[in-house]
Amino acid sequence: MVETNTAAPPVHPPPALHPPVAGGGPIHPPLEQLHHLHFCIHSNPSWPEAIMLGFQHYVVMLGTTVMLATVLVPQMGGHHGDKARAIQTMLFMSGVNTLLQTFIGTRLPTVMSPSFAFVIPVMSIIRDFSLRPFDDEHERFVHSMRAIQGALIISSCLNIIIGYSKAWGNYSRFFSPVVIVPVVCVVGLGQFERGFPQIGKCVEIGLPMLILLVIIQQYVKNIHERTHLMLERFALLLCIVVMWSFAGILTVGGAYNNVPQKTKIHCRTDHSYLMSSAPWIKIPYPFQWGAPIFSASHVFGMMGATLVAAVESTGTYYAAARLAGATPPPAHVLSRSIGLQGVGMLLEGIFGAAAGSTASVENAGLLGLTRVGSRRVVQISTSFMIFFSIFGKFGAFFASIPFPIFAAIYCVLFGIVAAVGISFIQFSNSNSMRNLYIIGLSLFLGISVPQYFNEFTASSGHGPVKTNAGWFNEILNTVFSSSPTVAMVVGTVLDNTLEIMNTDSDRGLAWWVPFQNRKGDVRNEEFYSFPIKINEIIPTRYL
């Protein structure tokens, strides 16, 4: 479908209310698509606005990329230059994978970015090489990256197989709105450690950023009609500039000269040392760290992370679809997207990324914050990812934004995604104790079980699962450290085994099932069809 309109569609009026019932107020009917979006998946703002919105998506995903590299690269033995190259590679692959997903994957406006799900298997690789003798730390870093390359290349086959064999789509047919509520909720809520705990590490920057963003984006925008749309869409960039400048003034003024090193890392704008170490021009290329190193134990551990990335992406796709004005993605779309995600991980392994990718939760939340769900905007954002990954000095400039500023943004964006998950309950019977039991237990275990695994790992240096089979330990410790994965497993099992007789209506299956079939709803083709007749090139059975 060719998208040509560049003007904003008319704003839909609020849906009509059902007449009041005896003893109660008006009833709001369920809405399959949100009516307060300025632009949906296939409508587009003007080109200047689209470019600015695309840049905003780039800035939001940059925080996760820099944070992940800052956590992993020093522990591998890498120096500042190595960290700069690792960030450039992950940015480059994020741009490539986002383009692939928006054109021939889900077709949803989702950004693909590095995933924290890969921290556990990567840390296992780091520990393995830390026990081996090397001439210097840089050599240890290179060997660690080569081992990550090999593990990503082999483990990517898991997602390719479960995707293109349609196994993932068939599994998704066991979902219902009752399952989707906790899964999407914990996709946002499960990221709580990247929110206020990070703000607290530099509260004089993070907390004002959070308060300023809420006030400007939600309150100040209503002061004048002319500023309403501008502040609603670009308040995030405005607040970043203000607080980034404030942090720069504090840094230059010497406010952080005599503070602990941990405070300097989180508060100073020159904490990353990327401006001095990043190359002016550097194009990531295949096997840039050397030939991959293949190890069975590393591969099995990485497979757990690739499975978790598939689960997290699935939850994010449902949230993004709703925030972009699309219908829930059908089973065949989920299959091809997870298969393509596996292809993306294969490319990441070939190019030497430090971690695999998943659909970005924060960028999905940004769709709701700006009320712009345009696919074109996200596609434009990939040009910034690729450009700044090649011209390293420019990318390093934006990487100097302190982490607490990103954390303040995440508090809002993750919260929006969690709230979108709650909205799916309207399509099921929210007065059914069966449904409330499943949703409540899935939500609680989805947050509580990973918290136990993470606390155990932090205190003991290894996960709760510790047997003689290291690969088995890595898989289970990775899977059960993921909130969406635990919520999806618990919710799917309970919803398909607990009082399933004569509960289709309560579960919302009458509304849900048509969207899961390729031609079950006429809008499926509108939202998820390819931009060209690709089925003439690739047989439909693989799509």
Side-chain angles (χ1 to χ4, degrees), residues 375-513:
R375 182 191 296 122
R376 178 180 293 173
V377 166
V378 170
Q379 291 171 337
I380 290 174
S381 73
T382 63
S383 62
F384 290 104
M385 299 176 204
I386 295 174
F387 175 85
F388 288 120
S389 70
I390 294 175
F391 297 92
K393 292 291 186 185
F394 297 99
F397 174 71
F398 294 105
S400 67
I401 301 174
F403 292 149
I405 292 180
F406 288 112
I409 298 171
Y410 295 159
C411 287
V412 176
L413 301 184
F414 291 154
I416 290 174
V417 173
V420 167
I422 296 173
S423 73
F424 280 95
I425 200 172
Q426 66 185 305
F427 306 113
S428 62
N429 182 2
S430 58
N431 294 313
S432 166
M433 282 306 302
R434 171 198 180 273
N435 290 353
L436 295 178
Y437 178 87
I438 294 172
I439 292 173
L441 186 59
S442 301
L443 270 173
F444 187 82
L445 292 181
I447 296 175
S448 185
V449 171
Q451 181 67 10
Y452 163 71
F453 271 71
N454 292 331
E455 288 182 357
F456 191 101
T457 302
S459 62
S460 303
H462 59 81
V465 180
K466 188 179 182 183
T467 65
N468 293 330
W471 61 270
F472 179 77
N473 302 338
E474 295 296 334
I475 291 177
L476 289 189
N477 287 327
T478 301
V479 167
F480 287 102
S481 295
S482 164
S483 293
T485 306
V486 174
M488 181 177 287
V489 170
V490 174
T492 304
V493 171
L494 291 179
D495 190 47
N496 289 275
T497 57
L498 183 62
E499 298 178 20
I500 59 174
M501 299 298 294
N502 303 318
T503 57
D504 286 3
S505 177
D506 283 352
R507 297 167 65 192
L509 293 181
W511 171 81
W512 179 260
V513 170

Side-chain angles (χ1 to χ4, degrees), residues 62-116:
L62 179 64
T64 298
T65 306
V66 176
M67 194 178 299
L68 197 59
T70 302
V71 170
L72 296 178
V73 173
Q75 298 192 58
M76 295 182 198
H79 50 63
H80 299 310
D82 294 327
K83 183 169 74 172
R85 286 185 64 187
I87 291 173
Q88 287 178 275
T89 303
M90 289 192 286
L91 275 178
F92 181 81
M93 294 313 305
S94 293
V96 171
N97 288 334
T98 302
L99 272 180
L100 289 175
Q101 284 290 349
T102 54
F103 275 108
I104 59 174
T106 58
R107 299 279 290 153
L108 289 169
T110 50
V111 171
M112 304 300 292
S113 68
S115 172
F116 275 84

Side-chain angles (χ1 to χ4, degrees), residues 244-257:
W244 188 15
S245 301
F246 176 62
I249 292 172
L250 292 179
T251 301
V252 174
Y256 300 118
N257 289 346

Side-chain angles (χ1 to χ4, degrees), residues 339-350:
L340 189 61
Q341 186 173 331
V343 174
M345 290 180 189
L346 175 62
L347 293 175
E348 287 166 338
I350 292 174

